Amino acid sequence: MFRTSSNPRFQPRNTERHHWWDGDAMIAGLYLRDGEVAYRTSWVATDSMKFEVEQGEGVYGSFVNGGTSGRLPEGAPRGKNNPQTNAGIFDDQLLVYFEGALATAMAPQTLETYGPDHFHGGVDILCTAHFKIDPATGDMLFFAATGPVITWYRADAKTGNVIVPRHRRRHPGPHALLHRQRELRDLLRRAKHVPLGRAGT
């Protein structure tokens, strides 16, 4: 069993703008085996966190409330990847999620951070933190919202590969266009439809 949390590693650059979601991502694992219980925690070692550790201080502004980042040298991550929203096992990996980036893959037993997960090349920008598992197939259902465009995905439970959409440019079916920008946060699964929900609904 895994749980994500927000655990600030450094003093925020601007405490007035700091939000709970800005705290660094930490994952906790509870392992039950042969009548014994083990507990393990680890920060999610994203590139942006490793950069702040190298600098010895918080560098990035608030993802939620804005604010400017500190001086970022060439090659440094331009924004903070902070996957502390959700976690789950898929494709033999522990995936932890953040609304503004790709999921981050970790080792389920050791909590070692592997890095960004592209679903074997099927996802190239970001994905929602609120996935669902199809109870009939075990496939993962999720989406990406980039500006007014929503892209719908289904990842195969056996291979971890994205099977929808197959060819994004040739098959526009899995895409939707919003007339106005909305912050989509969750989805529901129905037999033939997948309603999407925005923040506050």
Side-chain angles (χ1 to χ4, degrees), residues 13 110 171:
R13 281 181 53 78
T110 64
H171 300 282

Side-chain angles (χ1 to χ4, degrees), residues 1 3 5 26-32 37-41 111:
M1 181 170 58
R3 180 184 180 186
S5 63
M26 177 170 276
I27 190 81
L30 187 66
Y31 304 87
L32 307 175
V37 179
Y39 179 75
R40 182 176 292 120
T41 62
L111 301 185

Side-chain angles (χ1 to χ4, degrees), residues 34-57:
D34 299 327
E36 297 183 351
V37 179
Y39 179 75
R40 182 176 292 120
T41 62
S42 176
W43 268 300
V44 184
T46 61
D47 289 342
S48 55
M49 171 180 276
K50 289 187 283 188
F51 176 69
E52 287 192 325
V53 170
E54 290 172 0
Q55 301 302 305
E57 62 180 354

Side-chain angles (χ1 to χ4, degrees), residues 103-183:
T104 300
M106 303 181 73
Q109 295 299 323
T110 64
L111 301 185
E112 173 191 358
T113 301
Y114 294 147
D117 187 73
H118 298 263
F119 290 86
H120 303 282
V123 182
D124 57 359
I125 301 175
L126 55 83
C127 66
T128 179
H130 303 278
F131 65 90
K132 294 293 185 291
I133 300 297
D134 186 330
T137 65
D139 292 351
M140 179 182 285
L141 313 175
F142 60 102
F143 64 91
T146 53
V149 178
I150 306 167
T151 303
W152 164 252
Y153 296 100
R154 174 185 287 268
D156 182 70
K158 296 179 180 178
T159 66
N161 292 320
V162 169
I163 53 180
V164 174
R166 291 185 179 88
H167 303 289
R168 296 179 60 178
R169 294 182 181 177
R170 296 183 182 178
H171 300 282
H175 299 275
L177 182 64
L178 297 180
H179 294 291
R180 290 183 294 174
Q181 176 64 45
R182 290 288 187 266
E183 183 185 354

Side-chain angles (χ1 to χ4, degrees), residues 18-112:
H18 182 73
H19 189 279
W20 172 255
W21 293 347
D22 295 324
D24 295 298
M26 177 170 276
I27 190 81
L30 187 66
Y31 304 87
L32 307 175
R33 183 174 299 161
D34 299 327
E36 297 183 351
V37 179
Y39 179 75
R40 182 176 292 120
T41 62
S42 176
W43 268 300
V44 184
T46 61
D47 289 342
S48 55
M49 171 180 276
K50 289 187 283 188
F51 176 69
E52 287 192 325
V53 170
E54 290 172 0
Q55 301 302 305
E57 62 180 354
V59 174
Y60 297 97
S62 172
F63 173 76
V64 179
N65 296 324
T68 58
S69 298
R71 184 178 180 183
L72 298 176
E74 184 176 351
R78 307 320 294 174
K80 188 168 185 176
N81 180 2
N82 199 19
Q84 36 72 313
T85 306
N86 201 0
I89 297 290
F90 188 76
D91 194 23
D92 296 325
Q93 301 179 108
L94 172 63
L95 299 180
V96 288
Y97 297 84
F98 170 56
E99 293 290 346
L102 291 166
T104 300
M106 303 181 73
Q109 295 299 323
T110 64
L111 301 185
E112 173 191 358

